[in-house]
């Protein structure tokens, strides 16, 4: 039957077409081989990777100090070692040699505090923005001793610094010079303050109170009060306060009796005494480790305390090497600070100065005449 035969032929044709559609496409032809004796062309060179960005240079060691413009005007100056140009961060109307400075967390802001020296004067303070190179006065009237000249038997502001949260904290002493502590019904002596009583502290020295106030939104708030003793080398004074240990760096224009390092070994003491005969027996030799070897100095008696003082020098190859160009003489008081291998010497003498040496080369890098309250700029803390 013709119709049935046509259907079978159509089905066969459709099946053949479907099989051809399922066959994979032919692979592209291989590139023709080059003629004999001719090299195949090299593949294109990939683009070079972009160079890595250079690592940021570590910030240089910086030093800061107070430099007088005149007896009643002072600059807070910063410069980078070894030969950076000085930059005045803030200028204030007060004597440099009656001032102290401190840094807030991260060293983005600072505080300047100036204490009074006589009748008619009052303590003053400024909060300094290091980026803007400007400062604003702090109102101290809400503090005990904030409006007076620091007379005996009156509260006196000893220091103002930042706590770990960047809040100004004032440290105050109230020393009983001629006053007599009160006695309670039990016969025990106490020191009254506002509405509270504080038992007299035991220990050598004059009794008194140590107080800490923090600047908050509503003004100065008392955060700690402790009875303490004052005016001897073993008196705690305001160091009895826990708040003191929370403060950032404080640097005063007056001599510090901080004695870095340790007592010099006995063998070295004999050599040092032989090299410098005739020194007062009340002093002692100290050894301060540095990258360039031990640094020796003398602790000399100054009232109730020992202060760093010449003679000074490095030990190198078994010999004592002097600090070349040191402006201090025996008996002058020194501040000694070490950072990044640099030795900073603050000199308290008739002529004030700060000098810096590289402990590795023993080279004197800088002499800053008239500079006071000199210190290395605090380094940012890493978490």
């Amino acid at each position: 039957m013709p119709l049935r035969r046509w259907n079978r032929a159509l089905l066969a044709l459709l099946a053949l077409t479907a099989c051809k559609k399922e066959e994979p496409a032919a692979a592209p032809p291989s590139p023709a081989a080059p003629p004999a004796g001719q090299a195949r062309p090299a593949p294109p060179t990939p683009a070079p990777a972009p160079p890595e960005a250079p690592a940021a240079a570590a910030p240089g060691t910086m030093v800061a100090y107070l430099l007088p413009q005149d007896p009643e005007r002072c600059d807070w100056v910063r410069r980078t070692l070894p030969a950076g140009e000085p930059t005045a961060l803030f200028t204030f109307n007060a004597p440099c040699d009656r001032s102290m400075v401190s840094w807030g967390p991260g060293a983005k802001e600072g505080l300047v505090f100036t204490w009074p020296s006589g009748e008619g004067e009052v303590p003053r303070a400024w909060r300094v923005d290091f980026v803007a190179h400007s400062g604003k006065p702090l109102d101290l009237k809400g503090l005990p001793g904030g409006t007076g000249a620091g007379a005996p038997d009156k509260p006196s502001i000893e220091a103002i610094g930042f706590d770990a949260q960047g809040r100004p904290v004032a440290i105050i002493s109230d020393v009983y010079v001629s006053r007599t502590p009160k006695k309670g019904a039990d016969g025990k002596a106490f020191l009254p303050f506002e509405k509270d009583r504080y038992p007299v502290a035991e220990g050598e020295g004059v009794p008194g109170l140590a107080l800490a106030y923090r600047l908050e939104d509503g003004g100065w708030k008392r955060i700690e009060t402790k009875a303490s003793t004052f005016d001897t080398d073993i008196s705690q004074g305001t160091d009895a306060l826990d708040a003191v240990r929370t403060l950032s760096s404080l640097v005063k224009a007056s001599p510090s009796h901080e004695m870095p390092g340790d007592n010099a070994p006995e063998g070295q003491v004999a050599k040092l005494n032989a090299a410098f005969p005739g020194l007062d027996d009340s002093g002692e030799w100290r050894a301060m480790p540095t990258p360039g070897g031990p640094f020796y100095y003398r602790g000399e008696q100054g009232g109730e305390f020992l202060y760093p003082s010449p003679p000074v020098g490095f030990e190198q190859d078994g010999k004592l090497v002097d600090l070349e160009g040191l402006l201090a003489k025996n008996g002058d008081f020194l501040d000694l600070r070490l950072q990044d291998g640099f030795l900073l010497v603050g000199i308290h003498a008739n002529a004030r100065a700060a000098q810096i040496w590289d402990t590795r080369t023993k080279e004197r890098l800088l002499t800053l005449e008239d500079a006071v309250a000199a210190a290395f700029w605090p380094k940012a803390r890493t978490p």
Side-chain angles (χ1 to χ4, degrees):
M1 299 175 58
L3 181 58
R4 184 178 299 172
R5 285 196 299 270
W6 184 88
N7 284 342
R8 288 178 179 173
L10 178 60
L11 290 174
L13 178 61
L14 292 174
L16 180 60
T17 303
C19 291
K20 287 184 178 181
K21 286 183 179 180
E22 292 176 1
E23 290 179 1
S30 301
Q38 182 176 343
R40 185 184 298 274
T45 304
E52 294 185 5
T61 303
M62 295 185 290
V63 63
Y65 50 93
L66 297 178
L67 191 66
Q69 288 190 13
D70 60 49
E72 295 293 329
R73 191 169 175 82
C74 184
D75 287 338
W76 193 359
V77 181
R78 179 177 65 193
R79 67 190 299 170
T80 301
L81 297 179
E85 290 296 321
T87 300
L89 301 173
F90 177 59
T91 301
F92 56 98
N93 294 321
C96 288
D97 59 4
R98 286 196 283 109
S99 299
M100 64 180 298
V101 297
S102 59
W103 288 263
K108 295 180 180 179
E109 61 176 342
L111 284 170
V112 175
F113 172 66
T114 299
W115 54 87
S117 66
E119 187 176 352
E121 295 191 5
V122 296
R124 288 177 286 172
W126 295 265
R127 191 168 186 167
V128 181
D129 183 334
F130 293 134
V131 177
H133 293 187
S134 64
K136 295 181 179 180
L138 279 181
D139 187 354
L140 305 181
K141 291 193 293 293
L143 292 171
T147 59
D153 282 308
K154 297 290 185 181
S156 175
I157 302 174
E158 289 196 2
I160 301 179
F162 287 102
D163 66 10
Q165 287 72 44
R167 298 169 296 189
V169 173
I171 304 300
I172 297 169
S173 61
D174 186 7
V175 183
Y176 277 54
V177 178
S178 59
R179 290 174 292 171
T180 303
K182 306 289 185 181
K183 283 193 176 181
D186 57 1
K188 294 182 178 180
F190 68 90
L191 307 177
F193 188 80
E194 296 180 350
K195 296 181 180 181
D196 298 317
R197 296 181 174 189
Y198 299 90
V200 171
E202 296 182 358
E204 183 178 338
V206 180
L209 292 173
L211 308 103
Y213 285 74
R214 184 171 60 222
L215 184 60
E216 299 183 350
D217 291 340
W220 293 98
K221 177 183 178 182
R222 180 158 58 104
I223 58 173
E224 188 180 4
T225 306
K226 285 187 177 179
S228 188
T229 57
F230 296 82
D231 294 346
T232 74
D233 59 341
I234 60 174
S235 298
Q236 273 198 296
T238 54
D239 287 342
L241 295 169
D242 295 331
V244 168
R245 289 179 283 280
T246 71
L247 298 185
S248 57
S249 303
L250 298 170
V251 183
K252 296 182 179 181
S254 56
S256 168
H257 53 265
E258 183 177 347
M259 303 274 285
D262 298 300
N263 290 329
E266 290 185 9
Q268 291 298 329
V269 168
K271 294 179 181 179
L272 291 165
N273 285 335
F276 302 100
L279 296 175
D280 193 327
D281 291 339
S282 64
E284 65 182 32
W285 285 105
R286 303 278 292 181
M288 180 179 174
T290 79
F295 175 75
Y296 296 102
Y297 67 92
R298 186 76 176 169
E300 287 292 339
Q301 194 79 31
E304 295 285 346
F305 303 98
L306 289 177
Y307 292 85
S309 177
V312 299
F314 289 100
E315 181 186 354
Q316 188 172 18
D317 299 328
K319 298 180 180 179
L320 194 67
V321 179
D322 292 336
L323 284 183
E324 177 268 327
L326 178 66
L327 297 179
K329 62 184 184 303
N330 288 7
D332 291 340
F333 294 155
L334 308 176
D335 291 330
L336 301 175
R337 305 178 191 277
L338 183 70
Q339 183 173 298
D340 298 335
F342 298 111
L343 176 67
L344 169 60
V345 180
I347 299 170
H348 300 269
N350 291 334
R352 306 289 293 275
Q355 296 180 280
I356 300 174
W357 283 262
D358 187 328
T359 64
R360 292 149 295 204
T361 64
K362 314 301 183 289
E363 177 187 3
R364 178 166 50 90
L365 302 178
L366 201 59
T367 292
L368 303 166
E369 295 184 0
D370 300 322
V372 299
F376 291 110
W377 194 264
K379 287 186 173 292
R381 296 180 179 178
T382 55

